[in-house]
DNA sequence: TATGCATATTCATATATTGGCATATGCCGT
DNA sequence: ACGGCATATGCCAATATATGAATATGCATA
């Protein structure tokens, strides 16, 4: 994963939000769609782009694709997410997204346990 | 200066090198052309792009345009340049550029004192 | 095998960014 | 006003990225 690819991934708000979410554990596309209040095709395309940049990878569990960071420990990525979290939280709606994520994962556990399990197989906290 | 603009500026090696150089003080276009081993039009266009993003600003001194960082203390920018310097110095040829910069500024003082003075008026160290 | 759900892909179009080449502008010294 | 130097701009083609609508794929379950 090269420097430039990292920055290319960082220079879009939606991608920033995805990175922030994935830093706290893997997610399936439908979670992302709901949290980002976007639509499936857009998110799918962002994920493809991010995958081409080498930033995320996806694994299929049943009908769900679970995405996670390729290298959550990449110094440049970590530093930036940390910095954004510390200094620009509102601009990026990082905190709001994480709150939504928590609420959502409760709901998912009840409504689609399969999806919840798949994510946990991939290392959810 | 917004987050996204900062990252847009960071996602090109040539722009990274320019930011690194400007962080150590203002420079004129001809310096940049020489250090980056590029040509005048390319550098001029990069500078315009960076100016539109709000990252640099230029001031004219006689026939020279002296460029400097708009906000050298911007946390996101500082953090990133620091991180790149610490962890990815070779990838970006930051150190080499700075060495070249030093050598160059000696030569400029001798050959085109006007340009050297202009830069110093703008706050060179 | 037919159906439904989650996700990906294709196509067409719009916009952004990059690069090369030629030319224009601004300022200086004569 | 003229020539030279430093810098910027305009134009055009190439490539990259983004967006919307329609459609295709993969998997599960009945």
């Amino acid at each position: 994963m090269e420097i430039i690819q990292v920055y290319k991934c960082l220079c879009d708000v939606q991608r920033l939000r995805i990175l922030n979410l994935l830093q706290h554990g893997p997610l399936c596309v439908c979670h992302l769609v709901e949290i980002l209040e976007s639509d499936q095709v857009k998110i799918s395309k962002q994920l493809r782009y991010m995958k081409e940049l080498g930033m995320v990878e996806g694994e299929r569990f049943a009908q769900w694709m679970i995405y996670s960071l390729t290298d959550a420990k990449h110094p440049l990525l970590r530093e930036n997410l940390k910095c954004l979290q510390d200094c620009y939280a509102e601009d990026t709606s990082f905190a709001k997204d994480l709150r939504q994520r928590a609420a959502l994962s409760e709901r998912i556990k009840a409504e689609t346990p399969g999806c919840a399990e798949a994510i946990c197989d991939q290392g959810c906290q």
Side-chain angles (χ1 to χ4, degrees), chain A:
Chain A
M1 186 161 34
E2 288 307 318
I3 300 175
I4 299 304
Q5 334 291 338
V6 176
Y7 287 129
K8 281 194 174 193
C9 191
L10 292 171
C11 70
D12 173 275
V13 180
Q14 211 169 37
R15 291 196 292 266
L16 278 182
R17 292 172 69 190
I18 294 177
L19 290 173
N20 172 56
L21 285 163
L22 295 185
Q23 205 196 18
H24 293 261
L27 280 182
C28 67
V29 179
C30 58
H31 275 101
L32 289 169
V33 169
E34 198 161 337
I35 299 176
L36 301 191
E37 290 169 302
S38 185
D39 66 273
Q40 183 262 318
V41 173
K42 258 189 213 165
I43 298 298
S44 213
K45 282 179 181 174
Q46 289 285 23
L47 288 167
R48 170 143 79 130
Y49 183 69
M50 295 170 81
K51 191 162 135 193
E52 278 162 5
L53 293 176
M55 302 289 291
V56 304
E57 48 198 16
E59 192 170 351
R60 179 178 285 280
F61 279 78
Q63 64 232 258
W64 298 281
M65 282 293 294
I66 313 296
Y67 281 89
S68 47
L69 293 182
T70 300
D71 179 9
K73 301 208 193 304
H74 193 281
L76 203 48
L77 180 58
R78 283 190 77 84
E79 277 304 312
N80 275 286
L81 290 173
K82 186 172 176 309
C83 185
L84 292 175
Q85 201 166 16
D86 293 348
C87 310
Y88 305 92
E90 329 82 54
D91 297 338
T92 49
S93 61
F94 275 7
K96 178 172 142 288
D97 286 349
L98 291 177
R99 263 181 273 120
Q100 258 228 261
R101 178 198 169 116
L104 201 58
S105 72
E106 288 310 310
R107 231 195 57 221
I108 297 279
K109 269 181 211 160
E111 293 173 11
T112 40
C115 178
E117 277 169 40
I119 292 169
C120 283
D121 283 353
Q122 277 291 81
C124 84
Q125 315 88 334

